[in-house]
Amino acid sequence: MPSKLQCMDCKTDYAIDEVRYVCDECGGLLDVIHDWTDITITRELFDKRLGSLQPPYNSGVWRYKELVYPDIDDSLIVSKPEGNTNLYPMPRLASWAGVDTLYLKHEGENPTGSFKDRGMTGGVTQARVLGMDRVACASTGNTSASLASYAALAGMEGIIFLQNKAIALGKLAQGLAYGATCLRIDADFDRNLELVREASEKLGIYVLNSVNPFRLEGQKSIMIEALQQLSWQAPDWIVCPGGNLGNSSAFGKGLKEMYDLGLIDKLPRVAIIQAEGASPLYESYLSDFQDYEAQKAHTIATAIKIGNPVNYQKAVRTVRWTNGVVESVTDQQIMDAKALIDRAGIGCEPASACSLAGTRKLVEKGIIEPGSTVVGILTGHVLKDPDATIGYHSNMLEDITGQYANRLLQVGDDIDAIVEILDKEKVPV
Ligand code: F0G
């Protein structure tokens, strides 16, 4: 049977080639469901494709084609190729966080500098299947950068709705550079998401926010690739930031599918970390998801400045499926954790640092045990938000102290002064 769309709540089925984001019957979010009865899926199948130079298997998404979109005609795939990101063992950060073993999987190493490329290859490929020539999204910046790039690659018009102030410089630059139609709108991300859905409905444009389930099929591959890099030995915990909750939703689906197919022997627990000022999932978690209230979001981590996440229901499902947890961290904790990740030579944008800050907090709370193996997901590249980085190191961020700041040393054109400084300044170890 070909893949289909299915409502996550009432299980109504829809054809895979319908332009649709929610269920007609109940308004529920949709999953892409594949039929694997006639396909043999093994670790070996994916292992023998490692290192392949052949499209589509040279992509860290399409290496797992059978899990992502088995029936897709290879000629329709729009790929840069993405994925193949590093999984770094981080012993020093592990001891800072209080766990035995910590890996950081750096999704900022994707072609446009964030994990969104894994979703975008899925979404833009589906846009091709559907014969769409215009694709759009609302974005805090990374989705728009990725959409702009993949739309250009596919010869489609990319249209991006950006909120007025809170977009990091690197991301704004990418949208403009890749030639998207860029609308800066005097509204926050949550309102822009409503606007893009309305405008797209009126104009027949394909929406590529993470409400689009083909995005999440691509993003599942973060988990598949991480598990393959660990020789299919599941860690105890996966820790990731949560904004619009697409990634955490994709992780739950991907992990459960891998477990059901026998690719992994146990399900890691997923911890979703939100910024304190943008934490509707965390607040809801405190009532065991009985209550939910949208928020007006505030955080320095502009990527996750989201008060009404579209994938809330799917993220709740991830927490339930994996015996997961939700936590929140302050902007100070985010920026300090980022400084440590940066200084380790790895680097990330502020939102990504939720993974490390959240791990430490969950260890302090006794939820993550010290003997655990943790995989933290770094979602975006250090160059995305230079203002936040430089602001931290020059102690210029409001309400944040640059306690791990690396001071910029100012010195005149004077060899004696330079020698004197370098004599005194200690190289950090
Ligand atoms: N980290 C980064 C760097 C992001 O850009 C985002 C989301 C997240 C984490 C949160 O992921 O939404 O799947 O929970 N950025 C979106 C955007 C919203 O428009 O670029 P999520």
Side-chain angles (χ1 to χ4, degrees):
M1 291 260 288
S3 305
K4 63 184 178 188
L5 297 171
Q6 186 179 72
C7 173
M8 68 174 285
D9 293 325
C10 73
K11 307 293 175 197
T12 302
D13 288 343
Y14 297 95
I16 194 81
D17 55 359
E18 273 189 47
V19 178
R20 147 175 315 282
Y21 316 100
V22 290
C23 177
D24 268 353
E25 301 297 321
C26 73
L29 296 168
L30 302 177
D31 284 315
V32 183
I33 303 285
H34 310 293
D35 179 1
W36 289 309
T37 40
D38 295 327
I39 307 177
T40 310
I41 295 176
T42 59
R43 296 172 179 181
E44 292 69 34
L45 172 71
F46 302 133
D47 286 348
K48 73 171 193 268
R49 290 177 187 161
L50 282 173
S52 171
L53 300 176
Q54 284 305 313
Y57 302 130
N58 57 350
S59 154
V61 173
W62 298 103
R63 177 180 313 126
Y64 315 106
K65 183 181 165 191
E66 288 76 4
L67 295 178
V68 171
Y69 202 159
D71 320 308
I72 191 73
D73 181 338
D74 286 357
S75 67
L76 292 174
I77 292 175
V78 183
S79 171
K80 291 195 80 168
E82 47 294 306
N84 296 310
T85 60
N86 284 300
L87 181 72
Y88 295 100
M90 304 298 305
R92 273 192 281 175
L93 292 181
S95 72
W96 182 79
V99 287
D100 272 5
T101 311
L102 173 72
Y103 295 93
L104 292 177
K105 182 153 179 66
H106 206 332
E107 288 300 303
E109 295 173 348
N110 271 290
T112 75
S114 84
F115 70 93
K116 306 290 181 178
D117 295 340
R118 292 189 187 254
M120 213 46 77
T121 186
V124 173
T125 296
Q126 183 62 10
R128 258 202 185 156
V129 170
L130 300 170
M132 309 298 281
D133 53 11
R134 306 179 89 189
V135 290
C137 70
S139 180
T140 58
N142 278 326
T143 305
S144 52
S146 184
L147 179 143
S149 166
Y150 279 74
L153 201 66
M156 297 174 190
E157 184 193 359
I159 302 168
I160 61 188
F161 286 44
L162 303 169
Q163 69 273 42
N164 209 356
K165 287 182 203 112
I167 176 165
L169 214 58
K171 306 174 188 181
L172 178 60
Q174 284 179 293
L176 292 166
Y178 294 133
T181 304
C182 303
L183 306 180
R184 183 132 82 170
I185 298 167
D186 195 10
D188 62 11
F189 171 83
D190 299 295
R191 175 67 187 138
N192 272 333
L193 187 51
E194 290 170 4
L195 289 170
V196 80
R197 289 175 74 172
E198 257 179 67
S200 299
E201 170 102 45
K202 284 187 201 304
L203 295 167
I205 300 169
Y206 195 47
V207 178
L208 284 177
N209 277 99
S210 55
V211 68
N212 184 317
F214 293 93
R215 281 267 318 272
L216 304 193
E217 289 307 286
Q219 286 169 217
K220 278 187 337 195
S221 66
I222 300 172
M223 287 299 99
I224 313 170
E225 191 174 86
L227 267 296
Q228 186 174 33
Q229 286 166 313
L230 292 170
S231 307
W232 306 102
Q233 300 307 303
D236 301 303
W237 289 91
I238 302 288
V239 186
C240 67
N244 214 18
L245 303 175
N247 235 9
S248 40
S249 298
F251 290 2
K253 184 171 188 281
L255 289 168
K256 181 156 187 312
E257 288 171 349
M258 275 192 280
Y259 181 73
D260 291 344
L261 287 163
L263 289 170
I264 52 174
D265 302 326
K266 75 166 191 188
L267 271 177
R269 299 177 71 183
V270 175
I272 306 169
I273 315 297
Q274 297 205 290
E276 206 173 75
S279 56
L281 181 74
Y282 172 68
E283 293 299 330
S284 176
Y285 170 75
L286 295 179
S287 69
D288 196 24
F289 304 120
Q290 295 310 300
D291 307 320
Y292 172 79
E293 220 175 298
Q295 297 177 354
K296 191 88 198 146
H298 294 283
T299 169
I300 189 164
T302 53
I304 50 173
K305 189 168 172 282
I306 295 173
N308 193 16
V310 73
N311 286 299
Y312 168 79
Q313 295 293 354
K314 285 186 176 173
V316 171
R317 185 174 71 174
T318 292
V319 172
R320 297 228 158 100
W321 272 345
T322 69
N323 188 23
V325 299
V326 188
E327 190 48 82
S328 74
V329 289
T330 63
D331 281 2
Q332 179 73 50
Q333 289 166 330
I334 289 173
M335 291 308 291
D336 286 340
K338 168 178 151 57
L340 294 175
I341 296 165
D342 292 353
R343 183 201 267 200
I346 302 293
C348 66
E349 68 164 284
S352 308
C354 282
S355 298
L356 179 63
T359 300
R360 182 170 153 112
K361 188 162 176 190
L362 289 168
V363 173
E364 277 167 6
K365 280 186 153 182
I367 295 171
I368 295 184
E369 289 178 8
S372 303
T373 297
V374 176
V375 173
I377 308 300
L378 300 181
T379 45
H381 197 280
V382 67
L383 290 176
K384 288 280 189 173
D385 191 349
D387 290 332
T389 305
I390 294 167
Y392 181 88
H393 290 290
S394 50
N395 228 336
M396 299 282 280
L397 299 178
E398 218 179 307
D399 299 327
I400 287 175
T401 312
Q403 61 163 322
Y404 299 109
N406 181 15
R407 279 181 307 127
L408 180 63
L409 305 172
Q410 193 68 47
V411 61
D413 176 357
D414 176 346
I415 187 63
D416 294 335
I418 291 170
V419 167
E420 195 188 323
I421 286 189
L422 293 180
D423 240 8
K424 267 194 282 171
E425 285 293 325
K426 276 237 181 73
V427 179
V429 280

